[in-house]
Amino acid sequence: MNPSDAYLAHMDAIVREKVRSIESARAPEQEHYLGQAELWQRVADHVERYRDELSFIVRDLHANPELAFEETRSAEVLATTLERQGFVVKRGAHSLPTALRAEWQSVDFDPRRHRTIAVLAEYDALPGIGHACGHNIIAAAGVGGFLGAAGIGSGKIVFLGTPAEEGHTGKEYMIRAGMLDDIDAAVMVHPFNYDLSAHTWIGRRTLKVVFKGIAAHASMQPYMGRNALDAANLVYQGIGLLRQQMPPSDRIHAVIDEGGHRASIIPERAEMSIYVRSLYVDTLMDLSTRIDDILTGAALMAGVEVERSWDTHPMSLPVRNNTTLADRWAQTQAARGREVLPFGVLPDSQAASTDFGNVSQLVPGIHPTIKVAPPGVALHTKEFADYAATDAAVTAAIDAAVGLGQVIVDTLCDDHLMNKARSEFENAGGPIRATDLR
């Protein structure tokens, strides 16, 4: 066993022990409303009716991966699937050419009395390794959840095809174009190596930095120059030292994109790309201020100018998990035979970012994970991409579609559930818009 295998085995043992201690301390709350069992069965029957279509989405998108903002073919696959079932699909929804929107509403729908629930789908892939984040599974689950819940209960269900999650913030662009204006709650699911009712997804900001110095002959007159690369190196070292004071859940990544072209010339220009991630909105902004201070200090020490460009694409906010709705998701998956681990089992340090965070800061939302690969197989690897095209991936998409559909129906039909979810959301601070943060 190599050291990394030993670590993974150790972590899995810790996870299992945490699960046992949590379950022994608190049995999950089981809430039901009149007719829930019958409605859940109807959702499951609806999804099963579309098994072939959902399987096709999983495998076809995997075989034809498309990058962020370029998902023309993938979006068309989802749109035509919904249109074959009689739904009107708006292409280019909410300002993005590859975004989609479709709706179902009951004949008695009244926005003053009924709720509108959104189910989201992603379908962009990663460069070089395709669907190593399993967005093909997310797409199938979102379509299936919409089809599974449509026609049940009183209210409105909105399907949203959301492009450009990988390295970008497609959902935030759509939010600014009105995507959530009429939405009361939002649901989606993400493939993973554990079944989790909720997980930590940290916020992310991007930063481009340019240092401008003065070129000089590196041997004859080095004292006449101002070395821009020195400033970039000082920033890199400063970030390394800052990590000692960072919480385990926070992350900073940096690369030097440009640092000169010939060793015999003092570099007059250096460029850096930096990612800043944090667990909460306020700590994300505070960490950004610390990085700004490092940039200023490095420029002063090297005697150069610094230009910074935050958020070329909008920032991704941390996901605010709505535990009320997440607990209901866990019940749906338990009914599918899955062992859903409660929130807090995996450490905060095992966290990535998603633009669903921007959605969850505006309306109650869930972003659970569904197991597709073994615990040791990480997202954004070739190994995970391989698992994303297996029979297990199709099964996960079906189970997730059923779960999303059942949670949607519950949010439409269960007043107690939605009142509790709303109260939790408001107690956590209410809506936070990325556009209000600087």
Side-chain angles (χ1 to χ4, degrees):
M1 179 179 289
N2 65 43
S4 60
D5 290 338
Y7 173 78
L8 290 170
H10 178 67
M11 286 302 301
D12 194 54
I14 291 175
V15 166
R16 298 300 167 185
E17 181 56 35
K18 277 190 174 183
V19 171
R20 285 192 290 272
S21 63
I22 290 173
E23 289 179 344
S24 63
R26 178 184 67 84
E29 182 181 7
Q30 299 291 325
E31 295 180 339
H32 304 282
Y33 59 91
L34 186 64
Q36 181 188 44
E38 178 186 349
L39 296 183
W40 275 25
Q41 186 60 53
R42 287 177 62 188
V43 171
D45 291 344
H46 284 185
V47 172
E48 191 60 38
R49 187 184 308 161
Y50 301 112
R51 174 178 286 270
D52 290 345
E53 288 87 344
L54 302 182
S55 176
F56 176 81
I57 291 172
V58 170
R59 300 187 189 281
D60 184 76
L61 267 60
H62 190 278
N64 300 278
E66 296 175 303
L67 302 181
F69 297 114
E70 300 174 7
E71 316 94 329
T72 305
R73 185 185 187 282
S74 300
E76 192 61 24
V77 169
L78 304 191
T80 54
T81 299
L82 293 171
E83 286 172 339
R84 281 197 296 268
Q85 309 311 320
F87 294 99
V88 175
V89 179
K90 178 175 175 55
R91 293 163 174 80
H94 303 295
S95 81
L96 294 185
T98 53
L100 304 171
R101 181 175 178 125
E103 299 180 358
W104 169 86
Q105 67 181 44
S106 58
V107 294
D108 63 343
F109 175 68
D110 182 343
R112 297 167 297 180
R113 296 187 298 114
H114 300 130
R115 292 177 280 272
T116 299
I117 310 301
V119 55
L120 279 62
E122 299 169 1
Y123 33 90
D124 59 323
L126 288 156
I129 50 176
H131 279 289
C133 206
H135 290 193
N136 57 319
I137 300 166
I138 298 175
V143 170
F146 176 79
L147 293 175
I152 302 175
S154 293
K156 180 189 288 188
I157 305 169
V158 178
F159 171 84
L160 293 168
T162 61
E165 187 275 339
E166 294 293 355
H168 299 280
T169 328
K171 293 180 187 62
E172 176 61 24
Y173 288 118
M174 296 176 70
I175 288 169
R176 296 178 185 184
M179 178 179 79
L180 297 180
D181 287 356
D182 60 341
I183 302 300
D184 295 298
V187 300
M188 67 170 288
V189 66
H190 201 292
F192 197 44
N193 49 29
Y194 284 104
D195 283 302
L196 301 171
S197 61
H199 185 46
T200 299
W201 299 86
I202 56 181
R204 181 197 67 200
R205 301 190 71 188
T206 59
L207 173 63
K208 292 291 291 186
V209 184
V210 177
F211 291 105
K212 295 181 178 180
I214 300 173
H217 194 293
S219 178
M220 185 178 295
Q221 291 180 311
Y223 46 82
M224 297 298 291
R226 293 290 184 268
N227 196 319
L229 181 58
D230 283 353
N233 281 322
L234 287 166
V235 170
Y236 202 85
Q237 293 176 54
I239 289 172
L241 294 172
L242 175 61
R243 288 192 177 104
Q244 185 180 14
Q245 279 76 50
M246 284 166 42
S249 55
D250 287 2
R251 295 285 188 271
I252 303 177
H253 332 293
V255 294
I256 299 174
D257 301 304
E258 180 185 331
H261 301 287
R262 291 182 66 90
S264 60
I265 304 173
I266 299 294
E268 66 177 340
R269 181 184 178 90
E271 295 186 11
M272 300 187 72
S273 296
I274 301 174
Y275 275 26
V276 179
R277 304 186 197 245
S278 192
L279 182 58
Y280 305 105
V281 173
D282 54 352
T283 57
L284 178 64
M285 304 312 292
D286 179 69
L287 188 56
S288 300
T289 300
R290 298 289 299 274
I291 296 299
D292 270 331
D293 291 342
I294 290 174
L295 298 179
T296 300
L300 287 171
M301 284 188 284
V304 300
E305 297 178 359
V306 59
E307 296 177 355
R308 64 204 84 193
S309 300
W310 281 101
D311 306 318
T312 305
H313 295 286
M315 70 180 80
S316 295
L317 299 182
V319 170
R320 185 191 299 180
N321 292 301
N322 191 278
T323 58
T324 299
L325 299 180
D327 286 347
R328 188 59 58 94
W329 163 269
Q331 293 177 31
T332 73
Q333 295 306 288
R336 302 293 293 181
R338 290 182 175 268
E339 180 188 9
V340 182
L341 309 184
F343 181 64
V345 168
L346 289 188
D348 288 342
S349 57
Q350 293 195 24
S353 303
T354 169
D355 59 1
F356 185 80
N358 300 48
V359 175
S360 71
Q361 296 288 346
L362 291 172
V363 296
I366 57 169
H367 193 274
T369 68
I370 193 155
K371 185 175 181 179
V372 172
V377 178
L379 296 171
H380 289 209
T381 63
K382 181 182 181 302
E383 291 75 18
F384 197 92
D386 292 340
Y387 278 100
T390 61
D391 290 344
V394 174
T395 298
I398 299 297
D399 289 347
V402 171
L404 291 174
Q406 290 170 341
V407 171
I408 291 169
V409 167
D410 284 0
T411 57
L412 295 181
C413 300
D414 188 344
D415 291 337
H416 172 69
L417 176 74
M418 272 306 297
N419 288 337
K420 186 177 177 183
R422 283 172 175 158
S423 177
E424 178 186 336
F425 179 79
E426 293 300 330
N427 289 338
I432 296 176
R433 291 188 174 274
T435 50
D436 294 335
L437 302 172
R438 293 290 184 269

